[in-house]
Amino acid sequence: MNIALWIVQGIAAAGFVYSGWLKAFRYGQAKKSWGWVSDVPKALVVFIGVAELLGAGGLILPYSLNIVPVLTPVAAAALAVTVLGGALFHIKRKEYREIGVNIIFIVLALIVAVGRF
């Protein structure tokens, strides 16, 4: 079970690093990749990106370094809430094809949160 959780944590962290990096540091590329970015203030997009990057670190570092390991499931739960907010945003905008990715990352984050608590 531990190995499976590490695999899920790695996949989730990689996805959040990619998404967060685009939002926080490659705003122009994020704008081209995701239509919603143009309709949201740049500061909010960057904030979400930084939060995803910090959350990705939180998925891996606390548990792997055994420094306050309870922060790993807390980070996972916080990321699940963040992605749920994104899914609700896409539903409101009728961007239904975007929701699939949100659901995958909500599930990954919840697996980590439940598995590590």
Side-chain angles (χ1 to χ4, degrees):
M1 182 64 161
N2 190 43
I3 293 172
L5 281 171
W6 276 115
I7 291 169
V8 171
Q9 283 172 250
I11 292 168
F16 285 114
V17 165
Y18 173 75
S19 175
W21 184 262
L22 281 181
K23 292 172 188 154
F25 300 110
R26 308 287 293 169
Y27 181 77
Q29 189 175 349
K31 217 172 180 180
K32 291 177 188 173
S33 299
W34 301 309
W36 65 268
V37 173
S38 299
D39 300 333
V40 176
K42 181 179 179 181
L44 179 59
V45 175
V46 171
F47 175 77
I48 293 167
V50 170
E52 288 178 347
L53 289 169
L54 292 172
L59 287 177
I60 302 296
L61 295 175
Y63 205 84
S64 66
L65 298 174
N66 199 26
I67 299 173
V68 194
V70 73
L71 290 179
T72 291
V74 170
L79 285 168
V81 170
T82 302
V83 177
L84 177 62
L88 294 173
F89 175 76
H90 290 307
I91 289 170
K92 182 179 177 183
R93 292 172 49 97
K94 297 181 176 30
E95 297 172 337
Y96 300 115
R97 86 186 169 134
E98 304 290 335
I99 297 169
V101 173
N102 291 115
I103 291 170
I104 290 169
F105 280 97
I106 289 169
V107 169
L108 291 174
L110 288 176
I111 289 170
V112 174
V114 171
R116 292 298 184 201
F117 269 129

mmCIF file of all heavy atoms in Angstrom, residues 1-19:
data_model
loop_
_atom_site.group_PDB
_atom_site.id
_atom_site.type_symbol
_atom_site.label_atom_id
_atom_site.label_comp_id
_atom_site.label_asym_id
_atom_site.label_seq_id
_atom_site.Cartn_x
_atom_site.Cartn_y
_atom_site.Cartn_z
ATOM 1 N N MET A 1 0.821 -1.198 0.000
ATOM 2 C CA MET A 1 0.000 0.000 0.000
ATOM 3 C C MET A 1 0.867 1.266 0.000
ATOM 4 O O MET A 1 0.532 2.236 -0.652
ATOM 5 C CB MET A 1 -0.926 -0.032 1.213
ATOM 6 C CG MET A 1 -1.857 1.137 1.286
ATOM 7 S SD MET A 1 -2.977 1.149 -0.096
ATOM 8 C CE MET A 1 -4.229 2.193 0.528
ATOM 9 N N ASN A 2 1.962 1.229 0.738
ATOM 10 C CA ASN A 2 2.850 2.377 0.808
ATOM 11 C C ASN A 2 3.417 2.726 -0.570
ATOM 12 O O ASN A 2 3.479 3.906 -0.943
ATOM 13 C CB ASN A 2 3.979 2.121 1.808
ATOM 14 C CG ASN A 2 4.783 3.368 2.089
ATOM 15 O OD1 ASN A 2 4.241 4.447 2.254
ATOM 16 N ND2 ASN A 2 6.094 3.205 2.129
ATOM 17 N N ILE A 3 3.804 1.717 -1.320
ATOM 18 C CA ILE A 3 4.361 1.958 -2.657
ATOM 19 C C ILE A 3 3.294 2.556 -3.565
ATOM 20 O O ILE A 3 3.564 3.497 -4.321
ATOM 21 C CB ILE A 3 4.944 0.659 -3.256
ATOM 22 C CG1 ILE A 3 6.171 0.225 -2.454
ATOM 23 C CG2 ILE A 3 5.290 0.837 -4.723
ATOM 24 C CD1 ILE A 3 6.715 -1.132 -2.822
ATOM 25 N N ALA A 4 2.088 2.041 -3.486
ATOM 26 C CA ALA A 4 0.992 2.572 -4.305
ATOM 27 C C ALA A 4 0.731 4.036 -3.961
ATOM 28 O O ALA A 4 0.515 4.868 -4.864
ATOM 29 C CB ALA A 4 -0.272 1.745 -4.106
ATOM 30 N N LEU A 5 0.761 4.370 -2.687
ATOM 31 C CA LEU A 5 0.554 5.767 -2.283
ATOM 32 C C LEU A 5 1.671 6.666 -2.805
ATOM 33 O O LEU A 5 1.407 7.789 -3.248
ATOM 34 C CB LEU A 5 0.445 5.881 -0.765
ATOM 35 C CG LEU A 5 -0.904 5.495 -0.176
ATOM 36 C CD1 LEU A 5 -0.823 5.432 1.345
ATOM 37 C CD2 LEU A 5 -1.985 6.462 -0.615
ATOM 38 N N TRP A 6 2.903 6.168 -2.767
ATOM 39 C CA TRP A 6 4.006 6.969 -3.302
ATOM 40 C C TRP A 6 3.847 7.203 -4.797
ATOM 41 O O TRP A 6 4.153 8.291 -5.306
ATOM 42 C CB TRP A 6 5.355 6.326 -2.996
ATOM 43 C CG TRP A 6 5.854 6.686 -1.642
ATOM 44 C CD1 TRP A 6 6.046 5.849 -0.591
ATOM 45 C CD2 TRP A 6 6.214 7.990 -1.172
ATOM 46 N NE1 TRP A 6 6.496 6.558 0.497
ATOM 47 C CE2 TRP A 6 6.611 7.870 0.175
ATOM 48 C CE3 TRP A 6 6.238 9.248 -1.761
ATOM 49 C CZ2 TRP A 6 7.026 8.963 0.931
ATOM 50 C CZ3 TRP A 6 6.645 10.338 -0.999
ATOM 51 C CH2 TRP A 6 7.035 10.184 0.324
ATOM 52 N N ILE A 7 3.370 6.200 -5.513
ATOM 53 C CA ILE A 7 3.146 6.360 -6.954
ATOM 54 C C ILE A 7 2.069 7.410 -7.202
ATOM 55 O O ILE A 7 2.233 8.304 -8.045
ATOM 56 C CB ILE A 7 2.781 5.005 -7.600
ATOM 57 C CG1 ILE A 7 4.005 4.077 -7.575
ATOM 58 C CG2 ILE A 7 2.259 5.189 -9.016
ATOM 59 C CD1 ILE A 7 3.709 2.636 -7.941
ATOM 60 N N VAL A 8 0.975 7.319 -6.450
ATOM 61 C CA VAL A 8 -0.105 8.298 -6.599
ATOM 62 C C VAL A 8 0.394 9.696 -6.232
ATOM 63 O O VAL A 8 0.101 10.673 -6.924
ATOM 64 C CB VAL A 8 -1.330 7.895 -5.747
ATOM 65 C CG1 VAL A 8 -2.370 9.000 -5.727
ATOM 66 C CG2 VAL A 8 -1.940 6.605 -6.285
ATOM 67 N N GLN A 9 1.151 9.798 -5.138
ATOM 68 C CA GLN A 9 1.710 11.086 -4.744
ATOM 69 C C GLN A 9 2.601 11.658 -5.843
ATOM 70 O O GLN A 9 2.550 12.853 -6.134
ATOM 71 C CB GLN A 9 2.517 10.949 -3.447
ATOM 72 C CG GLN A 9 1.674 10.854 -2.210
ATOM 73 C CD GLN A 9 2.491 10.536 -0.982
ATOM 74 O OE1 GLN A 9 2.389 9.442 -0.457
ATOM 75 N NE2 GLN A 9 3.290 11.476 -0.521
ATOM 76 N N GLY A 10 3.437 10.823 -6.440
ATOM 77 C CA GLY A 10 4.335 11.281 -7.506
ATOM 78 C C GLY A 10 3.585 11.761 -8.732
ATOM 79 O O GLY A 10 3.910 12.810 -9.306
ATOM 80 N N ILE A 11 2.561 11.007 -9.134
ATOM 81 C CA ILE A 11 1.760 11.402 -10.301
ATOM 82 C C ILE A 11 1.038 12.718 -10.022
ATOM 83 O O ILE A 11 1.051 13.636 -10.846
ATOM 84 C CB ILE A 11 0.768 10.290 -10.680
ATOM 85 C CG1 ILE A 11 1.519 9.067 -11.212
ATOM 86 C CG2 ILE A 11 -0.254 10.786 -11.705
ATOM 87 C CD1 ILE A 11 0.661 7.820 -11.351
ATOM 88 N N ALA A 12 0.414 12.801 -8.847
ATOM 89 C CA ALA A 12 -0.318 14.023 -8.493
ATOM 90 C C ALA A 12 0.639 15.210 -8.409
ATOM 91 O O ALA A 12 0.352 16.290 -8.940
ATOM 92 C CB ALA A 12 -1.062 13.832 -7.171
ATOM 93 N N ALA A 13 1.772 15.026 -7.753
ATOM 94 C CA ALA A 13 2.741 16.115 -7.611
ATOM 95 C C ALA A 13 3.232 16.580 -8.980
ATOM 96 O O ALA A 13 3.339 17.784 -9.232
ATOM 97 C CB ALA A 13 3.908 15.686 -6.729
ATOM 98 N N ALA A 14 3.517 15.646 -9.872
ATOM 99 C CA ALA A 14 3.986 16.012 -11.217
ATOM 100 C C ALA A 14 2.930 16.838 -11.947
ATOM 101 O O ALA A 14 3.240 17.850 -12.587
ATOM 102 C CB ALA A 14 4.340 14.763 -12.012
ATOM 103 N N GLY A 15 1.677 16.427 -11.850
ATOM 104 C CA GLY A 15 0.600 17.173 -12.499
ATOM 105 C C GLY A 15 0.442 18.570 -11.927
ATOM 106 O O GLY A 15 0.266 19.541 -12.665
ATOM 107 N N PHE A 16 0.525 18.677 -10.595
ATOM 108 C CA PHE A 16 0.391 19.986 -9.966
ATOM 109 C C PHE A 16 1.600 20.874 -10.249
ATOM 110 O O PHE A 16 1.451 22.092 -10.386
ATOM 111 C CB PHE A 16 0.140 19.855 -8.464
ATOM 112 C CG PHE A 16 -1.261 19.433 -8.141
ATOM 113 C CD1 PHE A 16 -1.511 18.206 -7.558
ATOM 114 C CD2 PHE A 16 -2.337 20.254 -8.433
ATOM 115 C CE1 PHE A 16 -2.804 17.814 -7.255
ATOM 116 C CE2 PHE A 16 -3.638 19.876 -8.138
ATOM 117 C CZ PHE A 16 -3.874 18.640 -7.548
ATOM 118 N N VAL A 17 2.785 20.299 -10.353
ATOM 119 C CA VAL A 17 3.967 21.095 -10.712
ATOM 120 C C VAL A 17 3.804 21.639 -12.126
ATOM 121 O O VAL A 17 4.054 22.827 -12.376
ATOM 122 C CB VAL A 17 5.265 20.273 -10.570
ATOM 123 C CG1 VAL A 17 6.425 20.943 -11.282
ATOM 124 C CG2 VAL A 17 5.595 20.054 -9.101
ATOM 125 N N TYR A 18 3.378 20.805 -13.051
ATOM 126 C CA TYR A 18 3.186 21.256 -14.431
ATOM 127 C C TYR A 18 2.159 22.383 -14.492
ATOM 128 O O TYR A 18 2.417 23.457 -15.051
ATOM 129 C CB TYR A 18 2.750 20.087 -15.318
ATOM 130 C CG TYR A 18 2.363 20.518 -16.708
ATOM 131 C CD1 TYR A 18 3.336 20.876 -17.636
ATOM 132 C CD2 TYR A 18 1.028 20.602 -17.090
ATOM 133 C CE1 TYR A 18 2.988 21.299 -18.910
ATOM 134 C CE2 TYR A 18 0.676 21.024 -18.356
ATOM 135 C CZ TYR A 18 1.659 21.368 -19.262
ATOM 136 O OH TYR A 18 1.300 21.791 -20.524
ATOM 137 N N SER A 19 1.001 22.137 -13.910
ATOM 138 C CA SER A 19 -0.072 23.120 -13.938
ATOM 139 C C SER A 19 0.326 24.398 -13.197
ATOM 140 O O SER A 19 0.106 25.512 -13.686
ATOM 141 C CB SER A 19 -1.326 22.512 -13.300
ATOM 142 O OG SER A 19 -2.349 23.454 -13.205
#
